[in-house]
Amino acid sequence: MKILVCISHVPDTTSKINFTDGDTKFDTNGVQFVINPNDEFGLTRAMWFKEKQGAAVTVVNVGGPETEPTLRKALAIGADNAIRVNTEAKDGYQVAKQLANVVKEGGYDLVIAGRESIDYNGGMVPGMIAGLIGANFVTNCISLEIDGTKAKAMREIDGGKETVSTSLPLVIGGQKGLVEESDLRIPNMRGIMMARKKPLEVKEPVDAGTETASVKFEKPAPKGAVKLIDADNVGELVNLLHNEAKVI
């Protein structure tokens, strides 16, 4: 089984976010980048398939050379090889077009992507890949089993879970639950050393326009001061929740 894991290069959640050029561009100065957490769950599941059932695992990213340390980390975790599509990621459609081309050229049976990246939270790319390559698609995936060309997946739905059966080729949008958080892997020294020697191919992009453009970014309003209420003053608490916070 050939597995392609899509890796987004995203800011660490502890990063301080700023914008430039009149709040139209993300300021990357001083920002630490990591593997998108939803993708990390998918990569760990791919490693499980590799070790338990036999599979070749390729990781792929659409981005410039600055994303290669993130791909090297994925190699250190255990992926066999990496591909970087050498173009700036501009919108979901453009990224999906590049990734779909990689899938077509590589003949992958299973494509694992995060249901969304934690930077722009678009949630479009996995479904678009499936549409572009004509594969089955399961999003919000929290469990996946493969038996030959058959697949059984569980996905999170509003108020519950749904188990579906499908077949390869398959694209999933994975998330927390696909593996346990305790199963996530931290590269060890041997993995880091081996990752330096693993192949990282740079592909030139295919022609692909964009369908959307960011017009402006805006941060949430700063949190207000905390009001402390005496534990015995239930009336004041109800009054503030009703008239000020307007949550009851």
Side-chain angles (χ1 to χ4, degrees), residues 109-186:
D109 306 293
L110 174 64
V111 179
I112 301 178
R115 69 169 188 179
E116 63 181 1
S117 59
I118 64 164
D119 46 6
Y120 293 99
N121 302 98
M124 298 180 285
V125 172
M128 286 184 176
I129 296 172
L132 289 166
I133 66 173
N136 295 315
F137 175 55
V138 178
T139 194
N140 298 341
C141 188
I142 54 175
S143 173
L144 179 65
E145 304 290 342
I146 304 289
D147 182 8
T149 60
K150 297 180 180 178
K152 185 168 75 173
M154 181 182 293
R155 67 187 188 96
E156 195 171 76
I157 60 176
D158 189 16
K161 301 173 183 175
E162 179 186 25
T163 301
V164 298
S165 62
T166 183
S167 60
L168 304 180
L170 172 67
V171 179
I172 69 162
Q175 63 175 59
K176 181 179 178 180
L178 195 56
V179 298
E180 298 296 329
E181 284 189 77
S182 58
D183 292 331
L184 295 177
R185 303 180 183 193
I186 299 173

Side-chain angles (χ1 to χ4, degrees), residues 47 49 56 65 96 160 179 221:
M47 296 310 304
F49 285 125
V179 298

Side-chain angles (χ1 to χ4, degrees), residues 2-237:
K2 293 183 67 176
I3 303 175
L4 183 69
V5 182
C6 304
I7 299 292
S8 289
H9 172 78
V10 300
D12 187 284
T13 53
T14 60
S15 298
K16 187 175 181 180
I17 301 302
N18 289 302
F19 303 104
T20 62
D21 295 358
D23 291 337
T24 60
K25 293 182 180 178
F26 173 55
D27 184 2
T28 59
N29 288 321
V31 174
Q32 178 73 30
F33 285 84
V34 298
I35 298 175
N36 180 45
N38 287 318
D39 302 342
E40 199 167 0
F41 287 113
L43 176 60
T44 304
R45 190 60 184 168
M47 296 310 304
W48 188 93
F49 285 125
K50 175 183 175 180
E51 294 163 1
K52 304 293 184 183
Q53 299 183 207
V57 178
T58 299
V59 290
V60 62
N61 167 263
V62 177
E66 71 280 1
T67 69
E68 290 192 4
T70 297
L71 285 174
R72 288 290 178 195
K73 181 180 178 182
L75 292 172
I77 289 172
D80 298 300
N81 62 301
I83 298 171
R84 177 173 66 81
V85 182
N86 188 30
T87 186
E88 179 186 357
K90 295 179 179 176
D91 79 341
Y93 176 74
Q94 176 243 7
V95 170
K97 285 277 286 186
Q98 304 303 331
L99 295 174
N101 183 61
V102 172
V103 177
K104 289 175 181 175
E105 290 186 347
Y108 295 96
D109 306 293
L110 174 64
V111 179
I112 301 178
R115 69 169 188 179
E116 63 181 1
S117 59
I118 64 164
D119 46 6
Y120 293 99
N121 302 98
M124 298 180 285
V125 172
M128 286 184 176
I129 296 172
L132 289 166
I133 66 173
N136 295 315
F137 175 55
V138 178
T139 194
N140 298 341
C141 188
I142 54 175
S143 173
L144 179 65
E145 304 290 342
I146 304 289
D147 182 8
T149 60
K150 297 180 180 178
K152 185 168 75 173
M154 181 182 293
R155 67 187 188 96
E156 195 171 76
I157 60 176
D158 189 16
K161 301 173 183 175
E162 179 186 25
T163 301
V164 298
S165 62
T166 183
S167 60
L168 304 180
L170 172 67
V171 179
I172 69 162
Q175 63 175 59
K176 181 179 178 180
L178 195 56
V179 298
E180 298 296 329
E181 284 189 77
S182 58
D183 292 331
L184 295 177
R185 303 180 183 193
I186 299 173
N188 55 31
M189 185 54 67
R190 183 171 181 271
I192 294 170
M193 297 299 289
M194 290 179 64
R196 296 177 181 176
K197 300 178 180 177
K198 290 182 178 178
L200 194 164
E201 179 186 359
V202 178
K203 281 181 176 288
E204 291 307 311
V206 295
D207 288 336
T210 58
E211 297 294 330
T212 57
S214 299
V215 176
K216 187 177 181 181
F217 296 101
E218 188 174 340
K219 292 183 182 180
K223 291 183 179 179
V226 174
K227 287 187 178 179
L228 298 177
I229 301 170
D230 190 277
D232 298 326
N233 194 352
V234 177
E236 178 63 9
L237 174 62

